Amino acid sequence: TAMFELTIDERIARLTLARAATRNALSTDDWRALPALIEQAARLKARAIILSSRVEGAFCAGADLRELATLHDDPGARLPFRNVMRAALDAVRNSAVPVIAQVDGDCFGAGVALVIACDVRVVGPAARFAVTPAKLGIAYPLEDIARLAALVGDGQASRMMLAAEIVGADEALRIGLGEVAGGEAEARRLA
């Protein structure tokens, strides 16, 4: 099933992650689909894109770990995977239409990279963030480290990456990982 659902209502695009079976873990195909969806929202004259989840308790579990395990055994596939992921994150970051992340559930690993590529982050009370690749022996891309550090500062970024600690909603807002507390209504107001 497709990960993303794109709808537009009153010129506000909603790009919804909707794969409960994997808690919205993103595969290479999902990363590959994302730039076209961002572009489609712009073509349809959306004035903003709200990126959210339909899966209760999960915004995005990160990259698909089953797929990452195959990359361990196939070094030649690593760079193409990174390039597809980078193109998707850059499409979000460079979108002509502002992208608002509405996070109210777990947002881990590559999910954090996706959220920090957005223009604004709306953080609900159940939001939890963690940069977990260190636990798996995986390097986090330099561009994403720089974006995280730009938002939360070098010390907080180092703590999140090296300790892989979970940061709750209140702390995320306090350190600058989220800009606004709220949910659907707040995300639509911003849009």
Side-chain angles (χ1 to χ4, degrees), residues 9-181:
D9 178 37
E10 297 179 12
R11 294 191 55 213
I12 297 173
R14 175 160 305 274
L15 190 54
T16 308
L17 289 87
R19 190 177 295 134
T22 64
R23 296 184 50 79
N24 295 335
L26 295 162
S27 69
T28 300
D29 289 340
D30 300 326
W31 289 115
R32 194 173 284 118
L34 189 53
L37 292 165
I38 297 290
E39 184 179 306
Q40 182 180 357
R43 266 196 330 272
L44 294 172
K45 306 227 184 295
R47 67 175 180 241
I49 300 168
I50 298 173
L51 181 63
S52 63
S53 170
R54 181 175 311 240
V55 178
E56 188 165 337
F59 176 80
C60 178
D64 186 324
L65 292 180
R66 290 173 296 173
E67 193 172 69
L68 287 180
T70 66
L71 296 179
H72 178 72
D73 298 331
D74 184 3
R78 292 177 194 161
L79 184 58
F81 170 79
R82 289 278 189 192
N83 287 340
V84 167
M85 184 177 164
R86 176 62 33 222
L89 294 171
D90 287 348
V92 172
R93 184 73 189 144
N94 300 324
S95 171
V97 178
V99 182
I100 301 163
Q102 179 191 334
V103 182
D104 199 16
D106 291 348
C107 181
F108 296 158
V112 173
L114 178 59
V115 165
I116 63 178
C118 296
D119 296 290
V120 178
R121 286 145 293 279
V122 176
V123 177
R128 297 182 335 141
F129 301 87
V131 181
T132 54
K135 284 184 173 180
L136 304 171
I138 300 170
Y140 211 58
L142 292 176
E143 297 92 335
D144 302 323
I145 293 169
R147 285 182 186 155
L148 181 62
L151 283 174
V152 303
D154 291 339
Q156 294 291 354
S158 293
R159 177 180 68 99
M160 288 183 71
M161 290 183 310
L162 298 174
E165 291 180 351
I166 294 175
V167 173
D170 291 340
E171 185 177 5
L173 290 163
R174 182 182 60 76
I175 66 174
L177 189 52
E179 287 76 31
V180 180

